[in-house]
Amino acid sequence: MDTSTTGSYTAKLIDGPLEGKTVATAFLESGDPQPRIELKTDQGKRYVYSRGAGLEFASSDDDRPSAVDYRFVETVFD
């Protein structure tokens, strides 16, 4: 995937209730990955994940990652 033209990357959820799942996530306007993501469920709660240290690049000349690790922070009940 060429992240420089699509404007999105894969968020890899490495722990918590959604461990092992991946979601497509948009880059910030600055081109950086999101520092936090919130994933809503149909059960009236949201899972909050924070950016981890792991980055993957589709090729060595990419300036933006194709995948970023996210760690579980908390569950928020609506």
Side-chain angles (χ1 to χ4, degrees):
M1 170 178 18
D2 181 6
T3 57
S4 62
T5 58
T6 63
S8 67
Y9 61 96
T10 300
K12 295 171 56 178
L13 309 177
I14 61 173
D15 61 4
L18 300 177
E19 181 177 359
K21 305 277 188 210
T22 61
V23 294
T25 306
F27 285 101
L28 296 172
E29 287 185 24
S30 65
D32 296 319
Q34 299 280 341
R36 289 170 59 113
I37 56 174
E38 289 189 21
L39 303 168
K40 294 181 181 182
T41 70
D42 56 356
Q43 298 140 350
K45 58 186 169 183
R46 293 174 281 141
Y47 296 123
V48 179
Y49 281 79
S50 182
R51 190 173 130 193
L55 299 174
E56 293 178 20
F57 293 86
S59 67
S60 60
D61 61 342
D62 284 346
D63 59 343
R64 295 196 289 181
S66 58
V68 177
D69 288 349
Y70 282 83
R71 299 197 66 93
F72 178 71
V73 175
E74 66 180 335
T75 301
V76 178
F77 294 92
D78 295 330

